[in-house]
Amino acid sequence: FTTLCKKMRLNPFAKDCYIMKYRNDQPATIITSKDVIFRRAMSHPDFDGLENGVIVQKSDGKLEERLGGFVAPDENLVGAWARAYRKNISHPYYISVSLEEVIKRKKDGAANSMWATKPAMMSIKVASVRALREMFTEDLQGLYDADEIKQDTAPQNSGFSVADIKTNEVETE
């Protein structure tokens, strides 16, 4: 774990990352803070901004992309979008995500507590992290947000060995 952290320039003592075991029959995963992704992108000399927002279905059935996370009571949140800008590339990197694609659910199918209470914020976070990672692959390759990867159970507190760690997939929270 510490060797992987060093290689990826992550400091577990500064809460850049930690190790998580979701299920006994799966290897442990290194979780990386979303702040690491934002911090690395924003410190890149070619970073030129990030825009993000929600995709809502209005009461008349039409879809609308909106800057920010406001969803009116008569609207249905259906996803989120983000645009990452880079000074040395003429066009922004655009990504949109479907809420159903990214929502984290418990075993019983209900949304977990953060997704149940803050779905706009959570889906915007996923879209933003994906856009930044694609625009700045040289610094963000291999860093994944925990909310980007489907897990059907909560983390377990069971023991595991270093051999259980996934080395090809790093998540972020």
Side-chain angles (χ1 to χ4, degrees), residues 57-82:
Q57 186 171 34
K58 300 176 81 47
S59 58
D60 63 4
K62 292 183 180 174
L63 294 180
E64 176 182 298
E65 284 190 1
R66 179 177 300 146
L67 189 63
F70 178 78
V71 179
D74 66 334
E75 297 173 327
N76 183 32
L77 176 69
V78 294
W81 62 273

Side-chain angles (χ1 to χ4, degrees), residues 53-157:
V54 292
I55 303 169
V56 297
Q57 186 171 34
K58 300 176 81 47
S59 58
D60 63 4
K62 292 183 180 174
L63 294 180
E64 176 182 298
E65 284 190 1
R66 179 177 300 146
L67 189 63
F70 178 78
V71 179
D74 66 334
E75 297 173 327
N76 183 32
L77 176 69
V78 294
W81 62 273
R83 278 187 194 87
Y85 293 87
R86 187 171 173 147
K87 293 175 187 171
N88 62 347
I89 297 177
S90 63
H91 295 81
Y93 185 82
Y94 171 86
I95 184 133
S96 61
V97 297
S98 160
L99 180 63
E100 278 306 310
E101 173 191 333
V102 297
I103 193 167
K104 291 286 219 165
R105 298 188 182 279
K106 299 183 276 187
K107 259 187 171 176
D108 66 4
N112 78 17
S113 62
M114 286 297 286
W115 283 93
T117 59
K118 297 171 177 55
M121 177 190 78
M122 298 299 289
S123 56
I124 288 171
K125 180 182 83 162
V126 170
S128 297
V129 165
R130 286 185 183 178
L132 289 172
R133 188 177 52 251
E134 293 296 325
M135 187 58 89
F136 298 97
T137 56
E138 68 274 20
D139 291 326
L140 303 175
Q141 180 180 358
L143 301 179
Y144 291 90
D145 186 271
D147 292 307
E148 292 180 273
I149 298 172
K150 288 279 190 185
Q151 295 290 342
D152 60 356
T153 59
Q156 295 179 344
N157 290 326

Side-chain angles (χ1 to χ4, degrees), residues 21-34:
K21 182 87 168 167
Y22 287 99
R23 291 178 23 184
N24 285 332
D25 63 343
Q26 293 181 345
T29 303
I30 296 175
I31 309 291
T32 307
S33 166
K34 75 162 177 67

